[in-house]
Each structure stands twice: as structure tokens, then as C-alpha cells.
């Protein structure tokens, strides 16, 4: 593993960390509220997810914290177990289970998530973000910030909630949303504003939103945004109150079978959501760096153990925060650490100031994040790839929007597997991987049918290739190569091979793959040629 310099991109990482902090603050509070847990338990999980998991993880973009996908599980568990401190014991046990899953390398399952399903999930999450933020943008905050489910706890759904906005428009929120959007969109486009690019646009939007509302208050305007439309962070007035915030697990409930059932449920669901988000964050990484998912499960396990010991909610790697991080230009995991540190510092020092932030401003930030995820170009891209790529993509996309993340992804994977099984009825798959001495040419021969199920083996092979090596990837006998595998080879050719001085030769790739066959290197003796030369030498000696 290459050593990561956390301070190498501090300028970009601080700016993106600040944006994620602004997005994460109301999400932490909203998810805690919806989970029936103390509000500060969401903040604690956010802080631990940022600082602890951010430091231990190898992911460069992923951001961890309390997850909307666990809300229903947490709410039911607290009710069934009868006390929040007993629930914290279940979270601690779940963390230990995740740690064990990391050691037995269960994270490798993420390699079997097809790219079109991951992209469909991201596009679906983007649409959910947009649809869920529309009410907040208009000042209708009945649904908690951070909800991602189609069917809401109040019996409404994503679409009926939007129609309900028409009867509850708050003009002050609408004005601040429009002003915030104008700032966010123009900040890096207008010439005279480009000089201020060191200041994150989201921070400017938040400051302007606060000042606008203060102006409305001072002028007695009807546009005043009232408390229910602002961030609502509990403010401890004394040290004793702050100490009361920390709740510790009740270890006397260790023999309670319900605790173990809840722990297993949290460990499984949190691990799957984390692995999905890690695959998604790797897809969003412009440098195409791969995350060790087994290390990630260990990091999440440690994070959940520490969060439970401090009275925090269970956490996962979260798509919304990770997407905001990528969109803000994060370069390394320092961004996630900074977001956690800012959560901690701001809660301890300026909670009264945070409570002046309009939810409408944060809705504007998330609307742009949602648009970047659900860009129409992505749908067009998979449409052009043909039905075997498009159908799983669109099924996942629709499934995520009208059900939830796990059900939508499960639908996409099932359809992908059906397509693969259909394609493999008459074709066998074989993969040749051997070790070579220094100076020899490494041959990777692709078989007739290369599906996304072979992605893990090929990714591992490409990842283990030594620097300054010579590689031939041969697709002469290949009838079909999955889009996922083509992407891996393209990324390896354009990024990894150049960075690590790997001389690459591509042979036999069809024009339809849009992967140019390359001459690679010349005057190179292959393993086969060396073997033939040795045979000739032996024959000469016999003579």
C-alpha cells in the first residue's frame, strides 16, 4: 500500500470538507430525530465517522456518518429493546462483527457489483436528493432532513410531499434558495468571482443566507424564516448538561437475545450499504484509485464500536455525503477528517450560530449535488451501450427512487445475473494468470466471454502488476467483454500504466469496444520466445 500524504492537497480538501460539514450537520440531526434517538447521537456518529473512520479508511472520497438506510431499523430496535443504552450495546456488537467481516475478507463481495448497477444507484440517489430537497427549498420542512425512502414515516411519499408544497410555500425560504443557487452556479463561472475561488461557494451561500434572514428580521419583513425552517442543534447551557449528552452502552443486557438479533441486522445492512457506497465513490474518483473494501469494513467496525461507547448512532459510508465531497473537489480522505473535526469544533463552540443557517440554503447545495449525480448524459451513455447495459441500469435507477437503495440495487443485480446466465449458456470462461521473472512479458489472455463476474480477478491482476513491467492483453479469441471490464482496461491504460511506466500492448480488441489496439513495445523477448530459444540451444548441444 502506498503511503498517503494527508496534507498534500489541503487547500482542495479543506474546501470540500467544509461543504460536506454544512451538508452533514442537518443530516445528522434529521436522521437522529427520525430514529427516535437523542439529537446529539447523530452528531457523535458524524464526528466519529469523519475523524476515526476517515483516518482508518483507505477510501479517498468516502464520507461516513449516520445513514438514512438504518433509520427504520434503529427506530424499531430502540422501541423493542426498551432503552437507548441497551441499543448502544447492539451497535457495539455490530461493530465487532464488522471488524470480523473485514478480517475474513468479506469486503471482496463488492467486486461483484456491476458498474451499470452502481451508476444506476448513483443516478437514482441523485433524483431522490432533488425530489426530497424541493420541499425544503420552498420552506416546507415537514419531512425530516436526510430521508431517502419513497414511503415516508408520515404516510406520504416522495411525490405527494412535493404536491403538498403548493399549500405551504414560505417566500423567504424560496428567495434564499434562489439566491443560494445563483451563488453556487456562478461562483466559478463569472470572471470577477473566479479570483475568490479559494472561498468555497457553499460557505458564501450559507453566510449570505444567514445575513439575508437577519435583514428580514431587522426590517420586520414578512419573508422572515422562522425557527422551524433553520438548523436546530441542541445548545447545552452548562457543563453538566453537556455531560448528560453522553450515554454509554448497558453491558448488563449482553445475555438479551434481542440485542444480538439487532446487532446482526445492523452489521449486515450497514456493511452492504458501505460496500455499495465504496464502489460508488471509486467510480466518482477522477484518479480511479481503488479502495480495499476489507480495510473499509474494519474501519467501519472500529467506528461503530467507538460511536456506541460515546452514545452515537450506527454509521455507514453514505452516498449523499460522499457525492457532495466528490462534487466539491476532494482529493484525499483528509476532506472527510476535516468535516468530522468541523462538526466537533462547531458543536462545542458556535452552536448558536449554526442554528441561524436556513435549511433552504443547504437544500440549494444538495440540489446541485443531485443534478451532478443524475445527469441526463449518464442515461444516454448507457442507452448507447445496448440493452444488456441499459436494462439493469434503468431498473436500478427506478428501483432506488420508488423503493430504497438496497431493494433497487438488488433488482439491478438480479437482472444482470439473468443476462449473464443467458449469455454463458454456450460459452465457457477461462482466465490465465502466471508469475514472470523480471524482464519477461506478462500475458493476460481474455477468454470468449468476459462478464462482470470476472471483474474481481482482472482488477486484482491489473492492480498487482509491477512498475516498469511489460504487459500484453490479448482479446483475439474474445466474443464479449463486459462494460465493467472494458472500463477497467481503459482506466489502466490511460492512468495507471502511464503513472507506473508500464508498457502496455492491446491485441485483438474489436472496434466496437472503442479501445484502440496499440503497438505497445518492440524488440521485446516474450516468455514463449525464450522457451523456443532454450529448446534450440539444447538441440544444438545434443548434436
Amino acid at each position: 500500500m502506498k503511503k498517503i500524504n494527508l496534507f498534500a492537497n489541503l487547500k482542495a480538501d479543506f474546501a470540500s470538507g467544509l461543504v460536506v460539514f454544512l451538508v452533514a450537520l442537518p443530516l445528522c440531526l434529521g436522521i437522529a430525530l427520525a430514529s427516535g434517538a437523542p439529537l446529539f447521537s447523530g452528531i457523535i456518529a458524524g464526528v466519529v465517522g469523519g475523524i476515526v473512520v476517515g483516518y482508518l479508511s483507505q477510501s479517498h472520497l468516502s464520507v461516513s456518518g449516520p445513514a438514512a438506510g438504518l433509520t427504520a431499523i434503529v427506530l424499531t430496535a430502540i422501541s423493542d429493546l426498551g432503552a437507548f443504552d441497551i441499543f448502544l450495546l447492539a451497535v457495539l456488537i455490530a461493530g465487532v462483527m464488522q471488524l470480523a467481516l473485514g478480517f475474513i475478507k468479506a469486503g471482496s463481495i463488492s467486486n461483484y457489483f456491476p458498474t451499470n448497477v452502481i451508476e444506476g444507484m448513483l443516478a437514482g440517489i441523485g433524483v431522490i436528493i432533488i425530489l426530497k430537497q424541493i420541499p425544503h427549498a420552498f420552506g416546507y420542512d415537514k419531512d425530516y432532513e436526510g430521508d431517502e425512502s419513497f414511503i415516508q414515516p408520515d404516510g406520504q411519499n416522495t411525490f405527494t410531499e412535493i404536491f403538498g408544497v403548493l399549500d405551504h410555500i414560505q417566500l423567504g425560504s424560496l428567495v434564499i434558495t434562489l439566491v443560494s443557487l445563483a451563488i453556487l452556479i456562478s461562483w466559478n463561472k463569472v470572471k470577477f468571482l473566479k479570483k475568490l475561488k479559494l472561498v468555497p461557494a457553499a460557505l458564501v451561500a450559507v453566510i449570505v443566507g444567514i445575513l439575508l434572514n437577519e435583514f428580514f428580521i431587522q426590517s420586520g419583513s414578512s419573508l422572515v424564516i422562522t425557527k422551524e425552517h433553520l438548523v436546530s442543534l441542541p445548545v447545552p447551557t452548562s457543563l453538566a448538561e453537556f455531560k448528560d449528552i453522553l450515554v454509554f452502552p448497558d453491558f448488563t443486557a449482553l445475555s438479551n437475545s434481542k440485542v444480538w438479533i439487532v446487532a446482526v441486522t445492523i452489521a449486515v445492512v450497514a456493511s452492504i450499504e458501505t460496500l455499495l457506497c465504496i464502489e460508488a465513490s471509486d467510480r466518482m474518483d477522477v484518479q480511479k484509485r481503488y479502495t480495499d473494501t476489507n480495510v473499509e469494513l474494519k474501519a467501519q467496525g472500529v467506528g461503530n464500536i467507538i460511536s456506541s461507547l460515546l452514545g452515537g448512532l450506527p454509521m455507514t459510508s453514505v452516498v449523499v455525503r460522499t457525492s457532495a465531497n466528490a462534487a466539491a473537489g476532494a482529493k484525499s480522505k483528509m476532506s472527510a477528517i476535516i468535516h468530522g473535526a468541523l462538526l466537533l469544533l462547531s458543536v462545542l463552540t458556535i452552536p448558536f450560530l449554526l442554528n441561524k443557517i436556513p435549511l433552504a440554503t443547504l437544500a440549494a447545495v444538495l440540489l446541485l449535488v443531485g443534478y451532478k449525480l443524475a445527469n441526463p448524459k449518464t442515461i444516454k451513455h448507457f442507452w448507447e451501450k445496448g440493452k444488456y447495459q441499459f436494462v439493469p441500469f434503468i431498473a436500478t435507477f427506478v428501483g432506488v427512487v420508488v423503493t430504497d437503495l438496497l431493494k433497487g440495487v438488488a433488482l439491478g443485480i438480479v437482472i444482470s445475473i439473468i443476462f449473464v446466465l443467458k449469455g454463458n449458456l454456450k460459452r465457457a470462461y477461462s482466465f490465465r494468470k502466471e508469475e514472470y521473472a523480471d524482464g519477461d512479458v506478462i500475458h493476460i489472455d481474455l477468454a470468449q466471454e468476459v462478464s462482470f463476474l470476472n471483474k474481481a480477478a482482472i482488477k486484482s491482476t491489473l492492480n498487482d502488476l509491477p512498475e516498469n513491467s511489460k504487459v500484453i492483453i490479448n482479446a483475439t479469441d474474445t466474443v464479449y467483454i463486459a462494460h465493467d471490464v472494458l472500463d477497467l482496461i481503459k482506466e489502466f491504460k490511460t492512468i495507471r500504466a502511464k503513472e507506473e511506466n508500464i508498457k502496455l500492448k492491446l491485441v485483438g480488441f474489436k472496434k466496437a469496444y472503442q479501445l484502440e489496439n496499440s503497438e505497445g513495445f518492440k524488440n521485446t523477448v516474450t516468455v514463449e520466445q525464450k522457451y523456443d530459444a532454450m529448446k534450440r540451444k539444447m538441440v544444438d548441444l545434443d548434436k
Side-chain angles (χ1 to χ4, degrees):
M1 175 187 167
K2 294 178 181 177
K3 191 174 181 181
I4 299 171
N5 183 358
L6 291 177
F7 300 97
N9 302 286
L10 193 57
K11 187 192 300 181
D13 287 336
F14 183 82
S16 52
L18 182 59
V19 172
V20 180
F21 154 68
L22 294 171
V23 169
L25 179 64
L27 296 184
C28 290
L29 295 170
I31 290 167
L33 181 66
S35 301
L39 290 181
F40 260 105
S41 65
I43 297 293
I44 291 168
V47 171
V48 174
I51 297 175
V52 177
V53 178
Y55 179 75
L56 295 176
S57 170
Q58 288 184 4
S59 175
H60 297 273
L61 296 181
S62 170
V63 182
S64 297
L70 295 176
T71 301
I73 296 172
V74 174
L75 182 63
T76 304
I78 293 173
S79 175
D80 288 348
L81 295 174
F84 185 63
D85 56 353
I86 298 177
F87 168 74
L88 291 177
L89 178 63
V91 178
L92 190 151
I93 296 170
V96 173
M97 290 177 178
Q98 283 186 295
L99 200 56
L101 288 172
F103 279 109
I104 64 173
K105 301 189 182 301
S108 302
I109 191 176
S110 66
N111 287 315
Y112 300 99
F113 299 145
T115 300
N116 51 359
V117 171
I118 297 298
E119 293 285 358
M121 178 191 79
L122 286 172
I125 289 290
V127 169
I128 288 173
I129 291 172
I130 292 170
L131 296 178
K132 292 290 187 181
Q133 291 306 315
I134 288 174
H136 296 296
F138 282 85
Y140 183 48
D141 302 303
K142 187 179 179 183
D143 188 27
Y144 73 90
E145 187 75 62
D147 181 29
E148 294 173 12
S149 299
F150 184 73
I151 303 297
Q152 298 174 178
D154 59 4
Q156 300 291 319
N157 62 51
T158 303
F159 296 117
T160 59
E161 189 80 5
I162 292 174
F163 292 133
V165 169
L166 299 175
D167 299 322
H168 299 87
I169 294 176
Q170 209 280 331
L171 287 177
S173 293
L174 182 57
V175 168
I176 286 181
T177 297
L178 294 174
V179 170
S180 299
L181 282 172
I183 292 170
L184 293 167
I185 293 170
S186 64
W187 194 249
N188 290 321
K189 292 183 178 180
V190 179
K191 285 185 178 180
F192 72 90
L193 291 177
K194 282 184 179 180
K195 297 177 182 179
L196 302 174
K197 64 181 180 180
L198 290 178
V199 182
L203 178 61
V204 177
V206 165
I207 293 171
V208 170
I210 292 173
L211 293 176
L212 264 177
N213 194 43
E214 288 298 311
F215 172 75
F216 295 154
I217 293 170
Q218 297 300 324
S219 62
S221 171
S222 60
L223 298 177
V224 170
I225 299 177
T226 50
K227 186 178 179 182
E228 62 268 25
H229 303 303
L230 304 174
V231 169
S232 181
L233 184 67
V235 183
T237 56
S238 66
L239 186 61
E241 278 187 32
F242 190 79
K243 285 181 179 178
D244 290 339
I245 290 169
L246 299 178
V247 183
F248 305 101
D250 181 3
F251 288 95
T252 61
L254 203 57
S255 59
N256 186 340
S257 60
K258 288 184 178 179
V259 169
W260 289 88
I261 293 170
V262 171
V264 170
T265 305
I266 291 174
V268 171
V269 175
S271 297
I272 292 173
E273 289 208 8
T274 290
L275 294 177
L276 285 168
C277 183
I278 289 300
E279 280 293 301
S281 67
D282 284 354
R283 292 297 305 162
M284 289 185 275
D285 187 1
V286 294
Q287 293 177 260
K288 299 304 173 189
R289 296 163 291 188
Y290 299 132
T291 301
D292 187 328
T293 48
N294 296 310
V295 172
E296 185 64 31
L297 285 181
K298 294 175 189 176
Q300 294 290 332
V302 172
N304 275 321
I305 291 170
I306 294 175
S307 180
S308 65
L309 290 172
L310 296 175
L313 288 175
M315 70 185 71
T316 72
S317 179
V318 189
V319 176
V320 176
R321 269 159 270 200
T322 301
S323 304
N325 196 31
K331 300 294 184 184
S332 77
K333 62 182 184 178
M334 189 62 178
S335 174
I337 297 172
I338 288 170
H339 123 271
L342 288 174
L343 272 175
L344 178 61
L345 288 172
S346 60
V347 166
L348 294 176
T349 57
I350 53 167
F352 61 92
L353 184 59
L354 298 178
N355 285 343
K356 292 180 180 290
I357 300 175
L359 292 177
T361 296
L362 302 179
V365 174
L366 286 169
L367 282 171
L368 288 185
V369 170
Y371 175 76
K372 288 180 180 179
L373 287 177
N375 196 312
K377 290 180 181 177
T378 306
I379 299 175
K380 183 183 177 185
H381 169 76
F382 280 98
W383 173 260
E384 292 172 347
K385 291 291 179 183
K387 64 180 179 180
Y388 290 105
Q389 288 297 315
F390 182 73
V391 174
F393 165 81
I394 205 69
T396 306
F397 171 76
V398 174
V400 167
V401 173
V402 300
T403 57
D404 58 41
L405 186 147
L406 292 183
K407 290 175 184 174
V409 168
L411 176 63
I413 290 176
V414 167
I415 293 173
S416 293
I417 290 173
I418 291 171
F419 282 169
V420 169
L421 293 176
K422 183 180 177 182
N424 279 329
L425 285 176
K426 297 181 181 179
R427 299 188 185 102
Y429 172 77
S430 62
F431 185 81
R432 182 164 68 89
K433 178 187 175 187
E434 299 174 9
E435 292 183 5
Y436 295 85
D438 289 343
D440 290 338
V441 180
I442 301 173
H443 287 259
I444 300 174
D445 299 325
L446 302 182
Q448 275 192 328
E449 183 83 16
V450 185
S451 72
F452 74 86
L453 295 174
N454 309 118
K455 174 182 170 183
I458 295 174
K459 180 192 281 189
S460 176
T461 299
L462 294 178
N463 199 47
D464 292 339
L465 290 173
E467 293 183 3
N468 306 312
S469 57
K470 301 165 185 175
V471 183
I472 295 176
I473 302 179
N474 192 339
T476 304
D477 299 323
T478 307
V479 177
Y480 168 77
I481 304 177
H483 176 70
D484 298 40
V485 178
L486 287 173
D487 271 356
L488 276 179
I489 295 171
K490 286 177 184 176
E491 290 164 6
F492 178 78
K493 177 186 176 185
T494 56
I495 300 173
R496 281 275 318 285
K498 291 180 180 177
E499 288 181 352
E500 300 186 12
N501 194 32
I502 296 173
K503 295 180 180 178
L504 178 66
K505 184 175 182 179
L506 303 179
V507 178
F509 284 85
K510 297 177 181 178
K511 289 183 179 179
Y513 296 151
Q514 296 180 346
L515 192 63
E516 251 186 310
N517 290 306
S518 55
E519 293 183 5
F521 43 89
K522 298 176 182 178
N523 303 322
T524 303
V525 181
T526 67
V527 174
E528 289 81 1
Q529 289 170 334
K530 284 189 176 183
Y531 180 71
D532 291 338
M534 287 176 64
K535 280 173 52 178
R536 287 194 297 270
K537 191 173 182 180
M538 293 296 291
V539 171
D540 290 338
L541 288 172
D542 288 339
K543 289 178 181 179

